[in-house]
Amino acid sequence: KAGVTQTPRYLIKTRGQQVTLSCSPISGHRSVSWYQQTPGQGLQFLFEYFSETQRNKGNFPGRFSGRQFSNSRSEMNVSTLELGDSALYLCASSLEWGNTIYFGEGSWLTVV
Amino acid sequence: AQTVTQSQPEMSVQEAETVTLSCTYDTSENNYYLFWYKQPPSRQMILVIRQEAYKQQNATENRFSVNFQKAAKSFSLKISDSQLGDTAMYFCAFTPTSGTYKYIFGTGTRLKVLA
C-alpha cells in the first residue's frame, strides 16, 4: 500500500511569490492534515480536511490556505511568501479522526 | 490551552542500554490519544507507539513501551536494548477525541545512540 506522497519534495521561491504544495493520502484515507515544521517552533498545525471540508485551522495568517478534492488529495497554498515561511511542510492522512495519522516525507520550502 | 512539554532537548544512550524520554501534557479533556513519533535524519515521521487515555494498561511495541500516568498527565517512552537505528528526534503528541481534528506536538527530544 503506497504511503502519503508529497510533491514537490524541495523547492526554492523568492519573497513575494506564491507556492502550492500537493499531498496524496494513503488510499482510503479521507482525513488530511498539514503541519509546518521549523527548528524554532517545532510542528505547528495548519489545517485539517475531511471529505473536502476544512474542519479546523491553526493560527496562521490568511496567506496560508488549503483545499481537498473529491479523491481526498489535498493542496496547500502560501501566497506572498516571506522569509519566515521557510520550513518543512508535512502532510498526514488517516481514515478518520482518532485513528493514527501517517505522515508523508514532507516538502522543503526555502524562501530567499 | 492544551500543551505538550518535552523537557529533555537532547539525550544520549549507549547501544544496548535503556533510555526513558519524558513527556507531560496539559488538557481538561478526559478522552484523548497520546502518541510517540520518531523522526530520523530522513525527516520521515514514523509512529512509534499509541496510547488511548481510557486504557489503563500501558502500550508496548517490541522494545518500546510507555509509562502512562493519567492523573499526573505524564506519558514517558522507554526504549530498551537501544540500537543505532533508534537515533532520531522523538516527538510526543496529543489529540483529544472531542473533534478538534489536530495533533499538538511537543518540541521533541533528540536521541543519540552511541556505539
Side-chain angles (χ1 to χ4, degrees):
Chain A
K1 199 172 189 181
V4 179
T5 305
Q6 291 188 246
T7 57
R9 292 292 319 283
Y10 304 92
L11 65 166
I12 300 173
K13 291 286 188 178
T14 304
R15 269 184 303 176
Q17 287 186 315
Q18 74 164 12
V19 66
T20 299
L21 308 178
S22 180
C23 173
S24 293
I26 292 171
S27 178
H29 285 193
R30 295 163 67 190
S31 171
V32 174
S33 51
W34 289 87
Y35 292 81
Q36 181 195 63
Q37 185 176 16
T38 58
Q41 298 294 320
L43 279 94
Q44 301 293 314
F45 171 76
L46 281 157
F47 19 68
E48 191 266 358
Y49 290 89
F50 182 84
S51 292
E52 302 179 68
T53 299
Q54 184 184 88
R55 298 195 292 191
N56 200 358
K57 187 178 193 302
N59 295 324
F60 280 83
R63 301 185 296 107
F64 291 80
S65 63
R67 59 178 175 169
Q68 186 181 35
F69 302 94
S70 58
N71 62 357
S72 294
R73 190 177 70 85
S74 177
E75 288 181 348
M76 67 163 282
N77 184 276
V78 188
S79 62
T80 319
L81 284 165
E82 300 177 0
L83 295 179
D85 297 332
S86 295
L88 176 65
Y89 289 88
L90 292 166
C91 171
S93 75
S94 68
L95 281 168
E96 173 45 292
W97 201 254
N99 295 110
T100 300
I101 60 173
Y102 295 90
F103 285 86
E105 293 180 290
S107 292
W108 278 102
L109 171 65
T110 300
V111 182
V112 297
Chain B
Q2 296 165 334
T3 58
V4 175
T5 302
Q6 293 179 250
S7 58
Q8 306 151 313
E10 293 187 3
M11 295 187 73
S12 62
V13 62
Q14 289 294 137
E15 200 175 5
E17 295 193 342
T18 296
V19 64
T20 299
L21 310 183
S22 301
C23 172
T24 58
Y25 57 94
D26 189 23
T27 183
S28 58
E29 302 275 348
N30 191 47
N31 295 315
Y32 46 86
Y33 301 99
L34 293 160
F35 304 83
W36 279 97
Y37 279 89
K38 165 185 175 181
Q39 189 179 45
S42 68
R43 293 294 187 143
Q44 173 78 59
M45 293 280 280
I46 301 164
L47 174 70
V48 175
I49 202 162
R50 162 190 163 114
Q51 175 81 42
E52 291 150 341
Y54 67 86
K55 289 186 178 179
Q56 293 186 336
Q57 186 173 6
N58 290 323
T60 63
E61 283 290 340
N62 302 314
R63 298 182 295 107
F64 299 88
S65 62
V66 297
N67 182 3
F68 173 49
Q69 302 289 328
K70 190 173 184 180
K73 296 181 181 173
S74 171
F75 184 61
S76 61
L77 174 70
K78 185 171 84 171
I79 305 174
S80 304
D81 186 26
S82 297
Q83 301 175 359
L84 296 177
D86 295 334
T87 292
M89 196 77 167
Y90 287 81
F91 291 94
C92 178
F94 157 94
T95 189
T97 60
S98 61
T100 63
Y101 309 117
K102 70 177 184 181
Y103 278 43
I104 300 159
F105 285 85
T107 51
T109 296
R110 187 175 304 278
L111 176 67
K112 187 169 185 179
V113 180
L114 306 171

